[in-house]
Amino acid sequence: MIALIQRVSEASVTVEGEVTGAIGQGLLVLLGVEQGDDEAKADKLLHKVNGYRIFSDENGKMNLNVSQVGGSLLVVSQFTLAADTGKGMRPSFSGGAHPADAERLYEYFVARARESGVPTETGRFAADMKVRLLNDGPVTFWLQV
């Protein structure tokens, strides 16, 4: 399971002209589900996302996590994160989870994120989404479990 996280001042996702999720300060989480992923991996990845200290403290050091700054999560499914780009000029998606499994684990991740107490908004699984963000820093990290 992969999360590409971006520290944002604001972010939103729109599907067919409708905003499905929007946050202020926090993390945009682009979530990719791979074959073999399960709930344990989702829990481990969420723990890392929520605990990752990439917000500045009073001394300007990246020392605070999303909860400590009162931030939110915007979780957007992105199967392209599971792509194999090692050969040729076209990505292979054979390592991605079957869509039904990916959706189940995406929904599980979102539910657990909400249970964790961090305000959580979402995109819409498998939809054509338009994502807007104001990357703060820019600060972007690739997390994989």
Side-chain angles (χ1 to χ4, degrees):
M1 189 167 273
I2 301 164
L4 182 71
I5 61 172
Q6 298 182 338
R7 186 178 75 186
V8 298
S9 298
E10 61 185 58
S12 65
V13 62
T14 304
V15 178
E16 297 178 0
E18 172 192 349
V19 175
T20 63
I23 63 170
Q25 180 184 33
L27 296 174
L28 171 61
V29 180
L30 302 175
L31 187 68
V33 182
E34 300 174 288
Q35 288 182 20
D37 286 346
D38 57 18
E39 289 82 358
K41 284 188 176 184
D43 287 338
K44 185 175 180 179
L45 184 59
L46 178 62
H47 178 75
K48 196 164 191 174
V49 167
N50 281 348
Y52 220 61
R53 299 182 317 171
I54 61 174
F55 293 88
S56 298
D57 64 14
E58 65 278 357
N59 297 316
K61 299 217 183 236
M62 283 190 200
N63 205 26
L64 302 174
N65 65 39
V66 67
S67 294
Q68 291 170 316
V69 298
S72 302
L73 302 178
L74 177 57
V75 183
V76 177
S77 64
Q78 187 165 352
F79 79 95
T80 61
L81 291 176
D84 178 357
T85 60
K87 295 180 184 176
M89 300 302 287
R90 183 173 180 206
S92 168
F93 300 106
S94 61
H98 183 276
D101 294 331
E103 183 173 16
R104 180 180 55 77
L105 286 171
Y106 168 78
E107 294 296 341
Y108 177 85
F109 185 94
V110 168
R112 297 288 289 163
R114 288 179 172 147
E115 290 170 9
S116 78
V118 178
T120 303
E121 297 284 324
T122 66
R124 188 174 302 150
F125 187 85
D128 181 17
M129 296 176 277
K130 307 300 181 208
V131 180
R132 294 181 189 267
L133 69 138
L134 183 56
N135 192 316
D136 179 19
V139 174
T140 303
F141 292 95
W142 175 282
L143 306 178
Q144 189 169 15
V145 295

